[in-house]
Amino acid sequence: MKFALLAVTAIQLGTCVDASPAKDLAEKVEVNGWWEQETSASLENRAIKPGKTFALTQVKNTNYQVRGAPFDLLKTYAKYHTRPPKSLQGAIKTYSKAKGEEAISPRIGPKHGTQKGWVQAFPSFDFDSEYVVPVTIGTPGQRTYLNLDTGSADLWTFSSDTYLPAQRGHTLYKPKNSDTSKLVPGEKWSIEYGDGSGASGILYRDRVEIGETYVKSQAIESAIHVSESIFEDGFSHGILGMGFGRINSVLPTKQKTYMENVQDSLAEPVFTADLQKQRPGTYSFGYINKDQHKGSIYYQKSVSEEFWQVSLNGYRVGPGSFNPYSFTAIVDTGTTLLLAPGPIVKAYYARVKGARLHKRMGVMVFPCESHLPDFIFGMGPYRGTVPGHYMSYGENGDGSCYGGLQTSDDLPFAILGGILLKAQFVVFNIANHTIGFANKETINE
């Protein structure tokens, strides 16, 4: 797959210091957070201790095609090993037929251990990546491009170990060409998705460099087996997991993520996501750029030791009143849609003229000419705004458009994905597992 590289920057910013639902339908979640001014010291553009600060601009896949909300919703169910609801069976059949597959393709649980999982039909997905970031592995350095994902904790890549047909079109990590590469005997890894696709392989330790930072001995998961649906994506050559190491897939010894290893060399142990609509966004490391947000940042400690997970306490649709509704959600740069509890989805689309549940595809759609109201979410006293025109996820082809907000009811948690994240500035502090949100300038419709 051909792709164009937009501006890739690793900017050395100085050696700064290394209709509202009933309340009883909602989870009872306590929101404990604080405003930025209440912290002992601000991290914004301040030199506190020796360390690195830098920013990475995403690289855009100019051939990326939006597949539609049903496709991305099914991918999310697959990612989190959750049985999709009956309402999505039509979507499963549609995408399976489009790929010339049987509609039923069994999948049973994770491979590791004795746990038994559910059996479910999924089409195999084309893991077509929209944006990646540059990563350099080994000595001398080998440049590759990985998908930065806060919803996982594995750094895996296509390599010279990968089964030969799956190497086609990919940039390969070649351990034998690196003076600092070391195979770790006895360690294996396997990532498997609900559709039966996945990747697995062996473990190396090697030097990894991102921007102005590096880790001398980072765990590199070298792929041997890769599913066809994954290796067909010639744009991304692996995953850069930025979640917590507790969900790392290496066995018998879980490995730390790059961010967990590099945090002491940063001016501050943070990275931020300033994702954008219709253009590449920026990830900044070691500092918080005050020019990328407006107003104060509101922080919360993650309510999970596995995911970047926050507590929310309500929502508002357009200029209406704020509706108390408590639930938890993970912050996942690897998920495209905004997935929220069903009552919230219902309340939002009640304000969209002509919105309906697509009977065959099982997702919310609306007439493309309909006005979409803003969506406002609450996190304690914080109110984050997603402009209405950010809430659309492209045309369906029959005069209707897919909604970027869909239900999370069958998933283990709600998910704050790209639809919401492109309208917010987000801070991830790996040292104390806190997450910060702030509003920012958004593009006009």
Side-chain angles (χ1 to χ4, degrees):
M1 179 183 294
K2 297 180 180 179
F3 60 94
L5 302 185
L6 298 187
V8 178
T9 58
I11 307 169
Q12 176 72 38
L13 298 174
T15 307
C16 290
V17 256
D18 216 283
S20 72
K23 292 183 181 179
D24 60 358
L25 292 176
E27 302 174 35
K28 302 303 180 183
V29 179
E30 185 177 359
V31 178
N32 293 314
W34 60 94
W35 289 104
E36 174 189 21
Q37 301 95 315
E38 298 171 8
T39 58
S40 57
S42 170
L43 303 182
E44 296 209 8
N45 297 350
R46 298 188 334 111
I48 301 174
K49 62 181 182 179
K52 299 289 186 179
T53 61
F54 67 97
L56 293 175
T57 298
Q58 292 176 311
V59 179
K60 182 176 176 60
N61 179 357
T62 57
N63 290 328
Y64 177 76
Q65 294 182 346
V66 175
R67 302 299 182 89
F71 185 87
D72 285 286
L73 187 55
L74 285 170
K75 281 178 63 176
T76 304
Y77 279 102
K79 179 177 181 178
Y80 292 106
H81 294 277
T82 301
R83 182 197 300 270
K86 292 181 179 179
S87 60
L88 285 172
Q89 294 304 311
I92 291 171
K93 292 178 181 179
T94 296
Y95 289 116
S96 295
K97 289 179 180 179
K99 292 181 66 63
E101 301 171 343
E102 294 294 328
I104 301 299
S105 52
R107 143 85 171 96
I108 303 181
K111 285 186 176 180
H112 295 307
T114 59
Q115 178 183 354
K116 294 182 179 179
W118 43 268
V119 178
Q120 180 55 45
F122 274 106
S124 63
F125 301 114
D126 295 326
F127 284 76
D128 195 16
S129 301
E130 184 175 12
Y131 294 105
V132 292
V133 295
V135 177
T136 301
I137 305 175
T139 308
Q142 303 172 35
R143 174 63 62 92
T144 189
Y145 295 88
L146 307 180
N147 199 336
L148 192 153
D149 181 13
T150 59
S152 65
D154 293 89
L155 194 170
W156 75 264
T157 181
F158 285 81
S159 73
S160 53
D161 299 319
T162 305
Y163 181 53
L164 194 59
Q167 293 182 12
R168 185 177 63 252
H170 283 282
T171 298
L172 304 177
Y173 164 53
K174 300 177 180 179
K176 291 183 179 180
N177 291 357
S178 173
D179 297 337
T180 48
S181 173
K182 294 181 180 180
L183 178 66
V184 184
E187 300 287 349
K188 307 290 183 183
W189 65 277
S190 178
I191 298 172
E192 191 168 328
Y193 300 104
D195 63 334
S197 67
S200 61
I202 55 180
L203 186 72
Y204 292 90
R205 290 196 170 277
D206 206 343
R207 188 182 192 275
V208 173
E209 179 180 338
I210 301 177
E212 299 297 328
T213 63
Y214 67 90
V215 174
K216 288 183 178 180
S217 184
Q218 174 63 42
I220 307 294
E221 296 167 36
S222 173
I224 295 178
H225 302 287
V226 183
S227 297
E228 181 179 1
S229 57
I230 296 177
F231 72 66
E232 283 181 347
D233 175 12
F235 184 70
S236 173
H237 310 299
I239 298 292
L240 174 61
M242 297 290 276
F244 302 145
R246 289 174 65 96
I247 58 172
N248 179 264
S249 72
V250 176
L251 289 176
T253 310
K254 290 185 180 297
Q255 303 294 312
K256 290 184 178 181
T257 66
Y258 183 86
M259 190 64 191
E260 288 172 327
N261 285 327
V262 82
Q263 59 180 303
D264 289 340
S265 69
L266 296 172
E268 293 294 341
V270 301
F271 68 98
T272 67
D274 180 25
L275 306 186
Q276 299 290 325
K277 182 177 175 63
Q278 300 176 350
R279 64 180 186 268
T282 302
Y283 292 103
S284 299
F285 293 76
Y287 76 111
I288 297 172
N289 187 340
K290 65 182 180 181
D291 295 329
Q292 291 180 340
H293 70 90
K294 58 183 182 181
S296 298
I297 301 172
Y298 186 77
Y299 289 95
Q300 252 190 42
K301 188 170 180 64
S302 175
V303 298
S304 168
E305 294 183 353
E306 296 183 338
F307 298 99
W308 296 101
Q309 191 166 3
V310 294
S311 300
L312 294 95
N313 62 346
Y315 68 96
R316 176 164 62 85
V317 179
S321 59
F322 185 79
N323 301 287
Y325 192 96
S326 297
F327 64 101
T328 61
I330 67 168
V331 184
D332 184 6
T333 60
T335 293
T336 305
L337 300 169
L338 166 57
L339 304 179
I344 297 178
V345 177
K346 183 178 180 180
Y348 180 81
Y349 288 109
R351 300 282 298 276
V352 179
K353 185 178 180 180
R356 60 185 173 86
L357 180 68
H358 195 290
K359 291 183 179 180
R360 180 169 56 87
M361 303 302 280
V363 296
M364 294 301 300
V365 297
F366 59 91
C368 292
E369 66 272 14
S370 292
H371 170 75
L372 294 179
D374 294 349
F375 178 76
I376 294 88
F377 64 96
M379 187 183 300
Y382 175 72
R383 299 292 180 263
T385 299
V386 183
H389 60 284
Y390 278 55
M391 298 291 286
S392 174
Y393 192 54
E395 297 184 9
N396 181 26
D398 61 358
S400 66
C401 282
Y402 292 117
L405 170 65
Q406 300 291 339
T407 181
S408 64
D409 280 356
D410 292 280
L411 290 162
F413 32 59
I415 301 179
L416 308 184
I419 292 291
L420 180 143
L421 297 179
K422 290 178 180 180
Q424 294 288 296
F425 177 77
V426 188
V427 181
F428 302 86
N429 188 312
I430 193 66
N432 58 25
H433 290 189
T434 58
I435 310 152
F437 276 82
N439 287 299
K440 66 184 182 184
E441 295 293 334
T442 53
I443 64 173
N444 294 325
E445 188 169 1

